[in-house]
Amino acid sequence: MHIVIPLLILLIGLVIWFRKHTKGPGGVRTGDLPKAAAKLGFLPADRLDTDHVRAPDPRVTAVREAVRAGNWQAGADWLAEAGRDWQERDRRADVLASEAVQDDSWLLAWRTARPEDPGAALVHAESLIDLAWEIRGGGYAQYTTGEQFAGFHRVLEQAAEACAHAQSLAGDDPCPFIAELPLAMGQGYPHDRFEKLWAQIVERDPHHLAAHSAALQYWCAKWCGSHELAEAFARSAAEKGQPGRLLTMLPLRAYFEYEIAHDDLNRDEFYKRPEVVEAVDAALVDVAAAAAANPDDRRLPQVRHLLASLLFWQDRHEAAVEQFRLVDGYINAVPWSYRGSREGMIKAYTGERDYSAAQVLKSRGGI
C-alpha cells in the first residue's frame, strides 16, 4: 500500500504533464498547430519574410539601385510620378529618404542641380529625421545613452530647418508637414504647437492614413499625450473617415498601444471588451470597402495584420484566418514588428495564425 500510493501520485503527475505539454488551449495538440496551418495553405515558419509587409515592389528595387549608382534623376522622376496622390508621394519620399540616410551623395547632387525643387527638399528633410531616429535607436528612453540623445537632438535641429524649407516650397502638398510629425515627437512639441501643425496637414489631406498613424503616436502616453488622448484622437478620426479610408485602424492601434504599455493586462479579457469588438467590426467593413475599390491598396496589409491579431484574441478564428490568409508570407507589421528579433516576430505570428487555423479545422471536424 505504501508503494502503490506514491506510484499513483507519480502516474497522475505524468498524465497532467502530458496533457499540459501536448495540448494547446482549446484541446488542440501543440504539435498539430503547424500541421493545421499547412492544411489551410499557410507557409511554414522558415519561409516567412520579416523584412517586408508585402511583396517587394520591383520599381522600388530599381529606383534604390539607380540612386545608389548616383542617378538622382531616376529618384526625382519616380517621386514626381506620384503626382497629387499624397499617400503615394509620402511613401516614395520615405523610400528615397531611407536611401539618403545610407549615402546622400546623390541627394546632394539633386539639391545642387535643383536648389528649389520641392521633391529634393522633402527627401532631404525626411532623411535628416530618419537619420536622427537611427542615431537615437528604437529603445525606450531608459535604454538610450546620453551620447545617443545628444546626436539625436543635434540632427533634429538640422531637420527642423530642412522641414521649414520644404514647407516653404510645398504649396498644397501635405508631405513636408507630415514629415515634421516625428520631429514633433522627438522635440516634444506642446499640444498647441502640434495642433497648428496638424491643421496644416488635414487642410491639405484630411484622410491621410500615414499622417494619422504618426499623429496617434504623438498622442500616446509614451510620447506627448496619454492613453485617453490617444483613444480620443483615434475615435474622432475613425468617425470622420468614410468606408475605404482605413482610418478605423486607429482605434485598433490605440488599444494595442494601451495593451503593450500594461504588463499586467489580461489580453484575453481586454480585447473582448464590447468597444474593442465594435472597433474591430468597423475595421472589417472599412477593409472590405478599401479592397473592393482597389485590391492592391498598399495600406491594406498593415491593417489586416492588426485585425488578424485582434480577431484571434476575440476567438473569432474563421475571421482571423481570412485575414491571415491575405497577408501570409510578409510579416513586418504591427503587432509582430514589436517583438524585435526575427525569431520573436515569427513565433508571435505563427503562434496566433496556427492556433486560429487549428480551431477552424477543429470546428470543421478536420483535426
Side-chain angles (χ1 to χ4, degrees):
M1 185 70 178
H2 293 295
I3 297 175
V4 171
I5 292 176
L7 285 174
L8 183 60
I9 293 172
L10 178 61
L11 181 61
I12 292 171
L14 286 172
V15 170
I16 293 172
W17 184 94
F18 181 80
R19 287 179 175 174
K20 180 178 180 181
H21 288 80
T22 59
K23 288 196 176 184
V28 178
R29 293 183 186 278
T30 304
D32 287 338
L33 298 182
K35 295 177 183 177
K39 281 185 178 180
L40 291 184
F42 288 115
L43 291 174
D46 61 1
R47 290 183 57 193
L48 295 174
D49 184 326
T50 56
D51 295 324
H52 304 93
V53 70
R54 58 177 291 154
D57 182 346
R59 287 211 64 195
V60 169
T61 302
V63 166
R64 286 186 184 277
E65 291 175 352
V67 297
R68 287 172 189 170
N71 184 359
W72 62 263
Q73 183 73 55
D77 291 346
W78 184 62
L79 181 62
E81 283 174 16
R84 296 178 59 80
D85 182 342
W86 303 131
Q87 309 239 19
E88 181 63 10
R89 181 173 172 83
D90 179 59
R91 182 184 78 90
R92 295 187 182 197
D94 185 61
V95 168
L96 294 171
S98 68
E99 283 300 318
V101 170
Q102 306 308 315
D103 178 6
D104 67 349
S105 57
W106 60 272
L107 177 56
L108 180 59
W110 181 7
R111 294 173 57 219
T112 301
R114 300 178 183 174
E116 298 302 305
D117 187 326
L122 170 62
V123 173
H124 177 55
E126 283 203 31
S127 68
L128 287 173
I129 292 172
D130 288 353
L131 176 61
W133 285 95
E134 188 170 288
I135 292 170
R136 183 195 182 280
Y140 288 104
Q142 62 263 38
Y143 304 117
T144 305
T145 67
E147 184 179 359
Q148 284 175 302
F149 271 125
F152 175 59
H153 289 294
R154 183 174 62 253
V155 177
L156 281 186
E157 287 296 330
Q158 299 172 25
E161 295 179 12
C163 277
H165 176 61
Q167 289 165 6
S168 72
L169 303 173
D172 59 355
D173 177 6
C175 295
F177 299 90
I178 295 170
E180 191 179 344
L181 292 172
L183 182 65
M185 287 191 291
Q187 293 190 326
Y189 283 15
H191 292 177
D192 58 346
R193 182 179 177 185
F194 183 86
E195 291 284 12
K196 291 177 182 177
L197 170 62
W198 186 243
Q200 294 279 2
I201 295 170
V202 295
E203 179 184 345
R204 291 168 169 80
D205 189 345
H207 303 113
H208 198 292
L209 181 59
H212 279 81
S213 298
L216 177 62
Q217 290 297 306
Y218 170 88
W219 290 113
C220 283
K222 63 185 179 183
W223 286 109
C224 304
S226 66
H227 294 302
E228 293 76 17
L229 287 171
E231 286 191 24
F233 172 81
R235 285 195 299 270
S236 175
E239 289 168 0
K240 293 174 184 176
Q242 300 171 349
R245 299 286 191 181
L246 298 178
L247 294 179
T248 53
M249 184 186 86
L250 298 172
L252 307 188
R253 186 62 187 270
Y255 293 131
F256 171 74
E257 292 287 350
Y258 182 89
E259 180 257 303
I260 61 174
H262 294 80
D263 294 335
D264 57 345
L265 185 144
N266 184 331
R267 287 184 287 180
D268 202 40
E269 294 178 359
F270 176 72
Y271 286 127
K272 289 186 176 75
R273 293 188 308 168
E275 62 269 31
V276 184
V277 174
E278 182 180 348
V280 167
D281 288 341
L284 285 169
V285 173
D286 204 1
V287 163
N294 179 10
D296 295 323
D297 190 327
R298 293 183 171 278
R299 302 170 302 163
L300 282 168
Q302 61 181 310
V303 188
R304 291 193 188 281
H305 275 286
L306 192 52
L307 261 178
S309 181
L310 268 63
L311 287 163
F312 160 81
W313 285 106
Q314 292 174 359
D315 297 333
R316 301 163 70 179
H317 300 296
E318 287 277 2
V321 162
E322 181 182 350
Q323 298 303 320
F324 278 122
R325 190 182 302 284
L326 291 164
V327 297
D328 197 45
Y330 302 93
I331 66 169
N332 187 18
V334 175
W336 332 115
S337 56
Y338 272 60
R339 297 293 180 153
S341 68
R342 168 180 163 78
E343 293 74 18
M345 291 171 67
I346 292 173
K347 183 179 179 180
Y349 176 79
T350 57
E352 296 187 16
R353 182 199 68 180
D354 296 2
Y355 179 82
S356 296
Q359 292 305 308
V360 167
L361 282 178
K362 183 183 176 185
S363 69
R364 298 173 183 175
I367 191 171

mmCIF file with all atom_site columns, all heavy atoms in Angstrom, residues 197-218:
data_model
loop_
_atom_site.group_PDB
_atom_site.id
_atom_site.type_symbol
_atom_site.label_atom_id
_atom_site.label_alt_id
_atom_site.label_comp_id
_atom_site.label_asym_id
_atom_site.label_entity_id
_atom_site.label_seq_id
_atom_site.pdbx_PDB_ins_code
_atom_site.Cartn_x
_atom_site.Cartn_y
_atom_site.Cartn_z
_atom_site.occupancy
_atom_site.B_iso_or_equiv
_atom_site.pdbx_formal_charge
_atom_site.auth_seq_id
_atom_site.auth_comp_id
_atom_site.auth_asym_id
_atom_site.auth_atom_id
_atom_site.pdbx_PDB_model_num
ATOM 1   N N   . LEU A 1 197 ? 0.395   72.411 -36.397 1.00 0.00 ? 197 LEU A N   1
ATOM 2   C CA  . LEU A 1 197 ? 0.996   71.585 -37.448 1.00 0.00 ? 197 LEU A CA  1
ATOM 3   C C   . LEU A 1 197 ? -0.056  70.648 -38.041 1.00 0.00 ? 197 LEU A C   1
ATOM 4   O O   . LEU A 1 197 ? -0.165  70.514 -39.265 1.00 0.00 ? 197 LEU A O   1
ATOM 5   C CB  . LEU A 1 197 ? 2.156   70.771 -36.866 1.00 0.00 ? 197 LEU A CB  1
ATOM 6   C CG  . LEU A 1 197 ? 2.732   69.674 -37.768 1.00 0.00 ? 197 LEU A CG  1
ATOM 7   C CD1 . LEU A 1 197 ? 3.319   70.275 -39.050 1.00 0.00 ? 197 LEU A CD1 1
ATOM 8   C CD2 . LEU A 1 197 ? 3.801   68.874 -37.006 1.00 0.00 ? 197 LEU A CD2 1
ATOM 9   N N   . TRP A 1 198 ? -0.837  70.038 -37.175 1.00 0.00 ? 198 TRP A N   1
ATOM 10  C CA  . TRP A 1 198 ? -1.859  69.095 -37.632 1.00 0.00 ? 198 TRP A CA  1
ATOM 11  C C   . TRP A 1 198 ? -2.902  69.786 -38.520 1.00 0.00 ? 198 TRP A C   1
ATOM 12  O O   . TRP A 1 198 ? -3.374  69.209 -39.503 1.00 0.00 ? 198 TRP A O   1
ATOM 13  C CB  . TRP A 1 198 ? -2.521  68.429 -36.432 1.00 0.00 ? 198 TRP A CB  1
ATOM 14  C CG  . TRP A 1 198 ? -3.477  67.342 -36.795 1.00 0.00 ? 198 TRP A CG  1
ATOM 15  C CD1 . TRP A 1 198 ? -4.814  67.292 -36.558 1.00 0.00 ? 198 TRP A CD1 1
ATOM 16  C CD2 . TRP A 1 198 ? -3.169  66.126 -37.498 1.00 0.00 ? 198 TRP A CD2 1
ATOM 17  N NE1 . TRP A 1 198 ? -5.373  66.133 -37.052 1.00 0.00 ? 198 TRP A NE1 1
ATOM 18  C CE2 . TRP A 1 198 ? -4.380  65.408 -37.642 1.00 0.00 ? 198 TRP A CE2 1
ATOM 19  C CE3 . TRP A 1 198 ? -1.995  65.587 -38.026 1.00 0.00 ? 198 TRP A CE3 1
ATOM 20  C CZ2 . TRP A 1 198 ? -4.435  64.167 -38.288 1.00 0.00 ? 198 TRP A CZ2 1
ATOM 21  C CZ3 . TRP A 1 198 ? -2.052  64.362 -38.666 1.00 0.00 ? 198 TRP A CZ3 1
ATOM 22  C CH2 . TRP A 1 198 ? -3.259  63.675 -38.788 1.00 0.00 ? 198 TRP A CH2 1
ATOM 23  N N   . ALA A 1 199 ? -3.228  71.003 -38.200 1.00 0.00 ? 199 ALA A N   1
ATOM 24  C CA  . ALA A 1 199 ? -4.196  71.760 -39.003 1.00 0.00 ? 199 ALA A CA  1
ATOM 25  C C   . ALA A 1 199 ? -3.671  71.967 -40.427 1.00 0.00 ? 199 ALA A C   1
ATOM 26  O O   . ALA A 1 199 ? -4.437  71.923 -41.399 1.00 0.00 ? 199 ALA A O   1
ATOM 27  C CB  . ALA A 1 199 ? -4.485  73.105 -38.345 1.00 0.00 ? 199 ALA A CB  1
ATOM 28  N N   . GLN A 1 200 ? -2.364  72.194 -40.555 1.00 0.00 ? 200 GLN A N   1
ATOM 29  C CA  . GLN A 1 200 ? -1.769  72.352 -41.887 1.00 0.00 ? 200 GLN A CA  1
ATOM 30  C C   . GLN A 1 200 ? -1.910  71.056 -42.696 1.00 0.00 ? 200 GLN A C   1
ATOM 31  O O   . GLN A 1 200 ? -2.110  71.091 -43.922 1.00 0.00 ? 200 GLN A O   1
ATOM 32  C CB  . GLN A 1 200 ? -0.279  72.700 -41.757 1.00 0.00 ? 200 GLN A CB  1
ATOM 33  C CG  . GLN A 1 200 ? -0.014  74.052 -41.120 1.00 0.00 ? 200 GLN A CG  1
ATOM 34  C CD  . GLN A 1 200 ? -0.151  75.183 -42.122 1.00 0.00 ? 200 GLN A CD  1
ATOM 35  O OE1 . GLN A 1 200 ? -0.487  74.977 -43.285 1.00 0.00 ? 200 GLN A OE1 1
ATOM 36  N NE2 . GLN A 1 200 ? 0.111   76.399 -41.682 1.00 0.00 ? 200 GLN A NE2 1
ATOM 37  N N   . ILE A 1 201 ? -1.817  69.924 -42.021 1.00 0.00 ? 201 ILE A N   1
ATOM 38  C CA  . ILE A 1 201 ? -1.887  68.631 -42.706 1.00 0.00 ? 201 ILE A CA  1
ATOM 39  C C   . ILE A 1 201 ? -3.308  68.318 -43.151 1.00 0.00 ? 201 ILE A C   1
ATOM 40  O O   . ILE A 1 201 ? -3.555  68.022 -44.330 1.00 0.00 ? 201 ILE A O   1
ATOM 41  C CB  . ILE A 1 201 ? -1.350  67.510 -41.787 1.00 0.00 ? 201 ILE A CB  1
ATOM 42  C CG1 . ILE A 1 201 ? 0.144   67.725 -41.522 1.00 0.00 ? 201 ILE A CG1 1
ATOM 43  C CG2 . ILE A 1 201 ? -1.608  66.130 -42.406 1.00 0.00 ? 201 ILE A CG2 1
ATOM 44  C CD1 . ILE A 1 201 ? 0.724   66.841 -40.447 1.00 0.00 ? 201 ILE A CD1 1
ATOM 45  N N   . VAL A 1 202 ? -4.262  68.396 -42.220 1.00 0.00 ? 202 VAL A N   1
ATOM 46  C CA  . VAL A 1 202 ? -5.638  67.997 -42.561 1.00 0.00 ? 202 VAL A CA  1
ATOM 47  C C   . VAL A 1 202 ? -6.298  68.983 -43.518 1.00 0.00 ? 202 VAL A C   1
ATOM 48  O O   . VAL A 1 202 ? -7.237  68.622 -44.233 1.00 0.00 ? 202 VAL A O   1
ATOM 49  C CB  . VAL A 1 202 ? -6.496  67.800 -41.283 1.00 0.00 ? 202 VAL A CB  1
ATOM 50  C CG1 . VAL A 1 202 ? -5.978  66.639 -40.465 1.00 0.00 ? 202 VAL A CG1 1
ATOM 51  C CG2 . VAL A 1 202 ? -6.565  69.070 -40.454 1.00 0.00 ? 202 VAL A CG2 1
ATOM 52  N N   . GLU A 1 203 ? -5.807  70.211 -43.543 1.00 0.00 ? 203 GLU A N   1
ATOM 53  C CA  . GLU A 1 203 ? -6.313  71.166 -44.528 1.00 0.00 ? 203 GLU A CA  1
ATOM 54  C C   . GLU A 1 203 ? -5.963  70.693 -45.942 1.00 0.00 ? 203 GLU A C   1
ATOM 55  O O   . GLU A 1 203 ? -6.728  70.890 -46.884 1.00 0.00 ? 203 GLU A O   1
ATOM 56  C CB  . GLU A 1 203 ? -5.713  72.543 -44.273 1.00 0.00 ? 203 GLU A CB  1
ATOM 57  C CG  . GLU A 1 203 ? -6.152  73.609 -45.265 1.00 0.00 ? 203 GLU A CG  1
ATOM 58  C CD  . GLU A 1 203 ? -5.474  74.948 -45.041 1.00 0.00 ? 203 GLU A CD  1
ATOM 59  O OE1 . GLU A 1 203 ? -4.882  75.149 -43.954 1.00 0.00 ? 203 GLU A OE1 1
ATOM 60  O OE2 . GLU A 1 203 ? -5.516  75.790 -45.957 1.00 0.00 ? 203 GLU A OE2 1
ATOM 61  N N   . ARG A 1 204 ? -4.801  70.046 -46.071 1.00 0.00 ? 204 ARG A N   1
ATOM 62  C CA  . ARG A 1 204 ? -4.322  69.597 -47.370 1.00 0.00 ? 204 ARG A CA  1
ATOM 63  C C   . ARG A 1 204 ? -4.780  68.173 -47.705 1.00 0.00 ? 204 ARG A C   1
ATOM 64  O O   . ARG A 1 204 ? -4.988  67.842 -48.871 1.00 0.00 ? 204 ARG A O   1
ATOM 65  C CB  . ARG A 1 204 ? -2.790  69.671 -47.408 1.00 0.00 ? 204 ARG A CB  1
ATOM 66  C CG  . ARG A 1 204 ? -2.267  71.107 -47.401 1.00 0.00 ? 204 ARG A CG  1
ATOM 67  C CD  . ARG A 1 204 ? -0.756  71.144 -47.132 1.00 0.00 ? 204 ARG A CD  1
ATOM 68  N NE  . ARG A 1 204 ? -0.202  72.475 -47.370 1.00 0.00 ? 204 ARG A NE  1
ATOM 69  C CZ  . ARG A 1 204 ? -0.283  73.472 -46.497 1.00 0.00 ? 204 ARG A CZ  1
ATOM 70  N NH1 . ARG A 1 204 ? -0.899  73.280 -45.332 1.00 0.00 ? 204 ARG A NH1 1
ATOM 71  N NH2 . ARG A 1 204 ? 0.231   74.660 -46.782 1.00 0.00 ? 204 ARG A NH2 1
ATOM 72  N N   . ASP A 1 205 ? -4.883  67.324 -46.694 1.00 0.00 ? 205 ASP A N   1
ATOM 73  C CA  . ASP A 1 205 ? -5.341  65.944 -46.900 1.00 0.00 ? 205 ASP A CA  1
ATOM 74  C C   . ASP A 1 205 ? -5.957  65.434 -45.599 1.00 0.00 ? 205 ASP A C   1
ATOM 75  O O   . ASP A 1 205 ? -5.251  64.952 -44.714 1.00 0.00 ? 205 ASP A O   1
ATOM 76  C CB  . ASP A 1 205 ? -4.173  65.048 -47.323 1.00 0.00 ? 205 ASP A CB  1
ATOM 77  C CG  . ASP A 1 205 ? -4.644  63.662 -47.747 1.00 0.00 ? 205 ASP A CG  1
ATOM 78  O OD1 . ASP A 1 205 ? -5.797  63.312 -47.443 1.00 0.00 ? 205 ASP A OD1 1
ATOM 79  O OD2 . ASP A 1 205 ? -3.859  62.925 -48.368 1.00 0.00 ? 205 ASP A OD2 1
ATOM 80  N N   . PRO A 1 206 ? -7.277  65.527 -45.475 1.00 0.00 ? 206 PRO A N   1
ATOM 81  C CA  . PRO A 1 206 ? -7.933  65.191 -44.198 1.00 0.00 ? 206 PRO A CA  1
ATOM 82  C C   . PRO A 1 206 ? -7.977  63.708 -43.869 1.00 0.00 ? 206 PRO A C   1
ATOM 83  O O   . PRO A 1 206 ? -8.314  63.347 -42.733 1.00 0.00 ? 206 PRO A O   1
ATOM 84  C CB  . PRO A 1 206 ? -9.354  65.741 -44.377 1.00 0.00 ? 206 PRO A CB  1
ATOM 85  C CG  . PRO A 1 206 ? -9.568  65.783 -45.851 1.00 0.00 ? 206 PRO A CG  1
ATOM 86  C CD  . PRO A 1 206 ? -8.233  66.079 -46.453 1.00 0.00 ? 206 PRO A CD  1
ATOM 87  N N   . HIS A 1 207 ? -7.623  62.824 -44.820 1.00 0.00 ? 207 HIS A N   1
ATOM 88  C CA  . HIS A 1 207 ? -7.762  61.388 -44.575 1.00 0.00 ? 207 HIS A CA  1
ATOM 89  C C   . HIS A 1 207 ? -6.463  60.613 -44.780 1.00 0.00 ? 207 HIS A C   1
ATOM 90  O O   . HIS A 1 207 ? -6.497  59.412 -45.027 1.00 0.00 ? 207 HIS A O   1
ATOM 91  C CB  . HIS A 1 207 ? -8.852  60.810 -45.484 1.00 0.00 ? 207 HIS A CB  1
ATOM 92  C CG  . HIS A 1 207 ? -10.180 61.468 -45.313 1.00 0.00 ? 207 HIS A CG  1
ATOM 93  N ND1 . HIS A 1 207 ? -10.759 62.233 -46.307 1.00 0.00 ? 207 HIS A ND1 1
ATOM 94  C CD2 . HIS A 1 207 ? -11.033 61.507 -44.269 1.00 0.00 ? 207 HIS A CD2 1
ATOM 95  C CE1 . HIS A 1 207 ? -11.914 62.700 -45.878 1.00 0.00 ? 207 HIS A CE1 1
ATOM 96  N NE2 . HIS A 1 207 ? -12.098 62.284 -44.645 1.00 0.00 ? 207 HIS A NE2 1
ATOM 97  N N   . HIS A 1 208 ? -5.336  61.256 -44.669 1.00 0.00 ? 208 HIS A N   1
ATOM 98  C CA  . HIS A 1 208 ? -4.046  60.619 -44.920 1.00 0.00 ? 208 HIS A CA  1
ATOM 99  C C   . HIS A 1 208 ? -3.746  59.631 -43.793 1.00 0.00 ? 208 HIS A C   1
ATOM 100 O O   . HIS A 1 208 ? -3.517  60.013 -42.651 1.00 0.00 ? 208 HIS A O   1
ATOM 101 C CB  . HIS A 1 208 ? -2.958  61.682 -45.005 1.00 0.00 ? 208 HIS A CB  1
ATOM 102 C CG  . HIS A 1 208 ? -1.699  61.230 -45.655 1.00 0.00 ? 208 HIS A CG  1
ATOM 103 N ND1 . HIS A 1 208 ? -0.860  60.302 -45.085 1.00 0.00 ? 208 HIS A ND1 1
ATOM 104 C CD2 . HIS A 1 208 ? -1.122  61.575 -46.850 1.00 0.00 ? 208 HIS A CD2 1
ATOM 105 C CE1 . HIS A 1 208 ? 0.183   60.106 -45.875 1.00 0.00 ? 208 HIS A CE1 1
ATOM 106 N NE2 . HIS A 1 208 ? 0.048   60.862 -46.949 1.00 0.00 ? 208 HIS A NE2 1
ATOM 107 N N   . LEU A 1 209 ? -3.731  58.320 -44.124 1.00 0.00 ? 209 LEU A N   1
ATOM 108 C CA  . LEU A 1 209 ? -3.597  57.288 -43.089 1.00 0.00 ? 209 LEU A CA  1
ATOM 109 C C   . LEU A 1 209 ? -2.245  57.341 -42.393 1.00 0.00 ? 209 LEU A C   1
ATOM 110 O O   . LEU A 1 209 ? -2.173  57.265 -41.160 1.00 0.00 ? 209 LEU A O   1
ATOM 111 C CB  . LEU A 1 209 ? -3.816  55.902 -43.700 1.00 0.00 ? 209 LEU A CB  1
ATOM 112 C CG  . LEU A 1 209 ? -3.734  54.729 -42.716 1.00 0.00 ? 209 LEU A CG  1
ATOM 113 C CD1 . LEU A 1 209 ? -4.770  54.866 -41.606 1.00 0.00 ? 209 LEU A CD1 1
ATOM 114 C CD2 . LEU A 1 209 ? -3.896  53.403 -43.447 1.00 0.00 ? 209 LEU A CD2 1
ATOM 115 N N   . ALA A 1 210 ? -1.155  57.469 -43.146 1.00 0.00 ? 210 ALA A N   1
ATOM 116 C CA  . ALA A 1 210 ? 0.170   57.513 -42.532 1.00 0.00 ? 210 ALA A CA  1
ATOM 117 C C   . ALA A 1 210 ? 0.309   58.716 -41.607 1.00 0.00 ? 210 ALA A C   1
ATOM 118 O O   . ALA A 1 210 ? 0.930   58.626 -40.537 1.00 0.00 ? 210 ALA A O   1
ATOM 119 C CB  . ALA A 1 210 ? 1.253   57.534 -43.612 1.00 0.00 ? 210 ALA A CB  1
ATOM 120 N N   . ALA A 1 211 ? -0.266  59.843 -42.005 1.00 0.00 ? 211 ALA A N   1
ATOM 121 C CA  . ALA A 1 211 ? -0.206  61.037 -41.151 1.00 0.00 ? 211 ALA A CA  1
ATOM 122 C C   . ALA A 1 211 ? -0.967  60.795 -39.852 1.00 0.00 ? 211 ALA A C   1
ATOM 123 O O   . ALA A 1 211 ? -0.496  61.136 -38.757 1.00 0.00 ? 211 ALA A O   1
ATOM 124 C CB  . ALA A 1 211 ? -0.796  62.229 -41.893 1.00 0.00 ? 211 ALA A CB  1
ATOM 125 N N   . HIS A 1 212 ? -2.155  60.203 -39.955 1.00 0.00 ? 212 HIS A N   1
ATOM 126 C CA  . HIS A 1 212 ? -2.937  59.922 -38.749 1.00 0.00 ? 212 HIS A CA  1
ATOM 127 C C   . HIS A 1 212 ? -2.224  58.920 -37.843 1.00 0.00 ? 212 HIS A C   1
ATOM 128 O O   . HIS A 1 212 ? -2.251  59.051 -36.610 1.00 0.00 ? 212 HIS A O   1
ATOM 129 C CB  . HIS A 1 212 ? -4.323  59.395 -39.131 1.00 0.00 ? 212 HIS A CB  1
ATOM 130 C CG  . HIS A 1 212 ? -5.292  60.466 -39.507 1.00 0.00 ? 212 HIS A CG  1
ATOM 131 N ND1 . HIS A 1 212 ? -5.319  61.039 -40.762 1.00 0.00 ? 212 HIS A ND1 1
ATOM 132 C CD2 . HIS A 1 212 ? -6.278  61.081 -38.784 1.00 0.00 ? 212 HIS A CD2 1
ATOM 133 C CE1 . HIS A 1 212 ? -6.270  61.962 -40.797 1.00 0.00 ? 212 HIS A CE1 1
ATOM 134 N NE2 . HIS A 1 212 ? -6.868  62.002 -39.620 1.00 0.00 ? 212 HIS A NE2 1
ATOM 135 N N   . SER A 1 213 ? -1.571  57.933 -38.438 1.00 0.00 ? 213 SER A N   1
ATOM 136 C CA  . SER A 1 213 ? -0.851  56.941 -37.640 1.00 0.00 ? 213 SER A CA  1
ATOM 137 C C   . SER A 1 213 ? 0.300   57.583 -36.881 1.00 0.00 ? 213 SER A C   1
ATOM 138 O O   . SER A 1 213 ? 0.542   57.267 -35.714 1.00 0.00 ? 213 SER A O   1
ATOM 139 C CB  . SER A 1 213 ? -0.330  55.823 -38.548 1.00 0.00 ? 213 SER A CB  1
ATOM 140 O OG  . SER A 1 213 ? -1.398  55.139 -39.178 1.00 0.00 ? 213 SER A OG  1
ATOM 141 N N   . ALA A 1 214 ? 1.006   58.509 -37.546 1.00 0.00 ? 214 ALA A N   1
ATOM 142 C CA  . ALA A 1 214 ? 2.108   59.207 -36.876 1.00 0.00 ? 214 ALA A CA  1
ATOM 143 C C   . ALA A 1 214 ? 1.585   60.136 -35.788 1.00 0.00 ? 214 ALA A C   1
ATOM 144 O O   . ALA A 1 214 ? 2.167   60.237 -34.704 1.00 0.00 ? 214 ALA A O   1
ATOM 145 C CB  . ALA A 1 214 ? 2.919   59.989 -37.907 1.00 0.00 ? 214 ALA A CB  1
ATOM 146 N N   . ALA A 1 215 ? 0.478   60.819 -36.062 1.00 0.00 ? 215 ALA A N   1
ATOM 147 C CA  . ALA A 1 215 ? -0.104  61.713 -35.060 1.00 0.00 ? 215 ALA A CA  1
ATOM 148 C C   . ALA A 1 215 ? -0.574  60.941 -33.837 1.00 0.00 ? 215 ALA A C   1
ATOM 149 O O   . ALA A 1 215 ? -0.457  61.413 -32.694 1.00 0.00 ? 215 ALA A O   1
ATOM 150 C CB  . ALA A 1 215 ? -1.270  62.492 -35.675 1.00 0.00 ? 215 ALA A CB  1
ATOM 151 N N   . LEU A 1 216 ? -1.107  59.752 -34.059 1.00 0.00 ? 216 LEU A N   1
ATOM 152 C CA  . LEU A 1 216 ? -1.540  58.915 -32.935 1.00 0.00 ? 216 LEU A CA  1
ATOM 153 C C   . LEU A 1 216 ? -0.371  58.621 -32.003 1.00 0.00 ? 216 LEU A C   1
ATOM 154 O O   . LEU A 1 216 ? -0.524  58.627 -30.777 1.00 0.00 ? 216 LEU A O   1
ATOM 155 C CB  . LEU A 1 216 ? -2.146  57.619 -33.456 1.00 0.00 ? 216 LEU A CB  1
ATOM 156 C CG  . LEU A 1 216 ? -2.589  56.611 -32.381 1.00 0.00 ? 216 LEU A CG  1
ATOM 157 C CD1 . LEU A 1 216 ? -3.692  57.204 -31.501 1.00 0.00 ? 216 LEU A CD1 1
ATOM 158 C CD2 . LEU A 1 216 ? -3.060  55.309 -33.021 1.00 0.00 ? 216 LEU A CD2 1
ATOM 159 N N   . GLN A 1 217 ? 0.814   58.378 -32.578 1.00 0.00 ? 217 GLN A N   1
ATOM 160 C CA  . GLN A 1 217 ? 1.987   58.122 -31.747 1.00 0.00 ? 217 GLN A CA  1
ATOM 161 C C   . GLN A 1 217 ? 2.297   59.334 -30.858 1.00 0.00 ? 217 GLN A C   1
ATOM 162 O O   . GLN A 1 217 ? 2.660   59.181 -29.687 1.00 0.00 ? 217 GLN A O   1
ATOM 163 C CB  . GLN A 1 217 ? 3.195   57.781 -32.623 1.00 0.00 ? 217 GLN A CB  1
ATOM 164 C CG  . GLN A 1 217 ? 3.087   56.435 -33.308 1.00 0.00 ? 217 GLN A CG  1
ATOM 165 C CD  . GLN A 1 217 ? 3.044   55.284 -32.321 1.00 0.00 ? 217 GLN A CD  1
ATOM 166 O OE1 . GLN A 1 217 ? 3.922   55.148 -31.465 1.00 0.00 ? 217 GLN A OE1 1
ATOM 167 N NE2 . GLN A 1 217 ? 2.009   54.465 -32.428 1.00 0.00 ? 217 GLN A NE2 1
ATOM 168 N N   . TYR A 1 218 ? 2.168   60.530 -31.422 1.00 0.00 ? 218 TYR A N   1
ATOM 169 C CA  . TYR A 1 218 ? 2.393   61.742 -30.625 1.00 0.00 ? 218 TYR A CA  1
ATOM 170 C C   . TYR A 1 218 ? 1.462   61.775 -29.424 1.00 0.00 ? 218 TYR A C   1
ATOM 171 O O   . TYR A 1 218 ? 1.879   62.124 -28.306 1.00 0.00 ? 218 TYR A O   1
ATOM 172 C CB  . TYR A 1 218 ? 2.179   62.990 -31.486 1.00 0.00 ? 218 TYR A CB  1
ATOM 173 C CG  . TYR A 1 218 ? 2.161   64.281 -30.682 1.00 0.00 ? 218 TYR A CG  1
ATOM 174 C CD1 . TYR A 1 218 ? 3.333   64.969 -30.414 1.00 0.00 ? 218 TYR A CD1 1
ATOM 175 C CD2 . TYR A 1 218 ? 0.957   64.803 -30.184 1.00 0.00 ? 218 TYR A CD2 1
ATOM 176 C CE1 . TYR A 1 218 ? 3.323   66.149 -29.675 1.00 0.00 ? 218 TYR A CE1 1
ATOM 177 C CE2 . TYR A 1 218 ? 0.940   65.977 -29.440 1.00 0.00 ? 218 TYR A CE2 1
ATOM 178 C CZ  . TYR A 1 218 ? 2.117   66.648 -29.179 1.00 0.00 ? 218 TYR A CZ  1
ATOM 179 O OH  . TYR A 1 218 ? 2.097   67.803 -28.427 1.00 0.00 ? 218 TYR A OH  1
#
